Amino acid sequence: MSLLDMIGPVMIGPSSSHTAGACRLGLVAHHLLGEAPRRAVIGLHASFAKTGRGHGTHLALVAGLLGFAPDDPRLPRAFEEAGAAGLAAEFRDVDLGDVHPNTAHIELHGDTQAVTVQGSSTGGGVILVTHVQGLGVNFSGASPTVLLRYRDTLGMIARIATTIAADGVNIATLTCTRENRGGQALLAVELDAPLSPQALAFFDRWPDTNWVRMLPKLMDG
Amino acid sequence: MTTLQDLMNAPAPASTWVLAQDCAETGLDPQDIRTEMARRIGEMRASIERGLKTDARSITGMVGWNAKGLWEAPDVLGAPLIKRVQAYAMAVNEENARMGRIVAAPTAGSAGTIPGALIGVADHLGIPDERLVDPMILAAGVGKAISKRMFISGAAGGCQAEIGSSAAMAAAAVTELLGGTPRACVHAASLALMNTIGLVCDPVGGYVEVPCVSRNAFYAVHAVSAAQLALAQLESFIPPDEVVTAMAQVGRLMPAELRETAEGGLAQTPTGLAVAARMEGREDAGGMIELPMA
């Protein structure tokens, strides 16, 4: 949290949690997809769905999926923009269990890629992403964040951390979760600066990694 | 963790200390923060200007024309400061309701309080925008200290969390603008905050319109009142951090019906329910939610 989180974000109204925060959740999915979005299925947790009416939550989520920032003047026209961009979106009311009231589960498909993101809009435009590709994470988009999915193998975290250090970048936080021992694992690392394209290409070339994404800084802080 | 007590004990001006603390934490450059803060003040001013010029209604039709109406009305009280502060605050929140561009401060529902109070006072006294950067930084610092003890959202703490915070932030900012010491600035914030305890979030139809738009007008004036009292050496009897804790406690005691669910208070009046029903019918008929599958 920084001063610019308290006086900010600059945003399209009406609600910092239900409009700006929702837009940022969509933006996370947009960046993690890594190609033009074609189809989205968005599950809104009970109360987010209910209080989202009249806050433009659905518009804001679609705007984020299209790559619009929370202050983009096109946000109120996001449905038309989606039509023009070839993105079809469907909304469902879901029960995500014991989660923050303003939580969404986003399933986003492009022509060749797919990603699922679950996150909450906790107030003032701040978000918390809790799941990516079905595995647990914990990041806010306030820092550049690299995500790597790989088969759980001895020494992976050490190798990844060493590569990040060699790239001259400091690690702020990291979360690692796995389906089961030896199964799919996901490492989400919040960084003090973005990784170089060379470092990302290097991660992509490893036989052990099967999905690598760099999420740019989405907000102040 | 910076508390309001720490802020109160900071060397004057409090905003310089706040900026140094924040940059030490985040590693950001103080000049970058000041530049960005100046830009956001410009955005607030743009929201005010648009809001004062337009009387277009929000999609519900409940709000949209009152900022301009007040701005163009005669000053019946002979109190131009009050009229300006109120009109500026409502201009921002009407823009917000129209899905226009605003600066959340700290939230969109409370976005009009700080521009109303700080820019209103500045314009009344002929103070240029460059001198608002430091008070705005102090406002952000007060907001940060409050947010460390409680969630700043109507869902978590009712309207006292959102408007209480924005009024406290605005009170501190106005106090510094007028030359108040750090102690006076924090007491202004505390006086503002303690007089919003218990304020519920009961938005009509669930929209950020009624009572939110006029509420920002009321609490922008409230913030200016707090600054005036603090500059006259009035202090909050309960220490500021304890006031924040008290507010957090009251927020937890507040039933969910009064915390941004539109299930109590004004939202559940016959008129409030009729608005909800009308908009629900319109939304379903208009197909706002459904998009065609490719």
Side-chain angles (χ1 to χ4, degrees), chain B residues 210-244:
Chain B
V210 175
C212 320
V213 169
S214 63
R215 181 159 297 179
N216 275 271
F218 287 111
Y219 283 88
V221 174
H222 178 90
V224 175
S225 304
Q228 175 148 288
L229 295 178
L231 286 162
Q233 319 299 329
L234 254 99
E235 296 196 340
S236 171
F237 182 83
I238 303 291
D241 292 303
E242 290 184 32
V243 174
V244 177

Side-chain angles (χ1 to χ4, degrees), chain A residues 1-3 6, chain B residues 2 22 25 139-148:
Chain A
M1 280 283 248
S2 99
L3 298 175
M6 299 312 304
Chain B
T2 304
D22 191 71
E25 258 175 51
V142 167
K144 246 182 97 170
I146 295 174
S147 72
K148 295 241 156 103

Side-chain angles (χ1 to χ4, degrees), chain A residues 93-163:
Chain A
D93 288 359
V94 296
D95 183 347
L96 296 168
D98 187 19
V99 297
H100 188 284
N102 301 333
T103 298
H105 180 277
I106 301 169
E107 187 193 308
L108 189 62
H109 300 264
D111 289 327
T112 67
Q113 304 293 310
V115 69
T116 64
V117 174
Q118 182 166 315
S120 308
S121 179
T122 58
V126 177
I127 59 167
L128 184 65
V129 183
T130 57
H131 297 81
V132 170
Q133 305 294 41
L135 289 162
V137 295
N138 189 323
F139 63 84
S140 70
S143 313
T145 305
V146 66
L147 289 96
L148 303 99
R149 191 179 59 185
Y150 49 91
R151 190 148 293 284
D152 176 36
T153 309
L154 178 70
M156 278 301 286
I157 297 181
R159 286 168 61 199
I160 293 168
T162 305
T163 306

Side-chain angles (χ1 to χ4, degrees), chain A residues 45-46 65 82 94 119 124 169 193:
Chain A
H45 188 57
L65 295 179
V94 296
V169 174

Side-chain angles (χ1 to χ4, degrees), chain B residues 3-92:
Chain B
T3 63
L4 289 173
Q5 186 66 40
D6 293 333
L7 247 160
M8 200 158 37
N9 297 334
S15 54
T16 305
W17 187 84
V18 162
L19 185 58
Q21 290 294 302
D22 191 71
C23 290
E25 258 175 51
T26 61
L28 295 170
D29 188 299
Q31 195 42 54
D32 290 342
I33 304 276
R34 303 187 91 255
T35 304
E36 181 55 26
M37 210 50 100
R39 188 184 83 84
R40 292 184 186 192
I41 291 167
E43 290 278 357
M44 287 178 176
R45 196 173 269 297
S47 307
I48 291 170
E49 273 164 26
R50 284 192 308 269
L52 291 179
K53 277 206 287 272
T54 183
D55 53 11
R57 295 182 180 222
S58 62
I59 195 168
T60 65
M62 290 195 286
V63 298
W65 62 98
N66 289 127
K68 179 170 187 277
L70 176 62
W71 190 237
E72 292 171 358
D75 181 6
V76 295
L77 290 174
L81 169 64
I82 294 182
K83 184 151 133 25
R84 186 187 293 268
V85 164
Q86 291 175 323
Y88 282 15
M90 288 201 293
V92 172

Side-chain angles (χ1 to χ4, degrees), chain A residues 1-4 6-16 39 50-51 53-55 58 71 79 88-91 124 220, chain B residues 18 22 40 96 99-108 140-141 143 206-208 260 263 283-284 288-289 291-294:
Chain A
M1 280 283 248
S2 99
L3 298 175
L4 296 173
M6 299 312 304
I7 305 288
V10 181
M11 52 171 276
I12 297 294
S15 166
S16 40
R39 187 169 83 85
K50 186 158 63 167
T51 54
R53 285 173 177 276
H55 289 144
H58 305 77
D71 64 347
F79 292 162
E90 181 197 325
F91 290 89
D220 316 298
Chain B
V18 162
D22 191 71
R40 292 184 186 192
N96 186 54
M99 294 193 91
R101 192 159 140 146
I102 54 101
V103 182
T107 65
Y207 296 86
V208 190
E260 206 179 0
E263 283 169 3
E283 279 167 7
D284 289 340
M288 187 176 104
I289 313 301
L291 291 184
M293 294 295 288

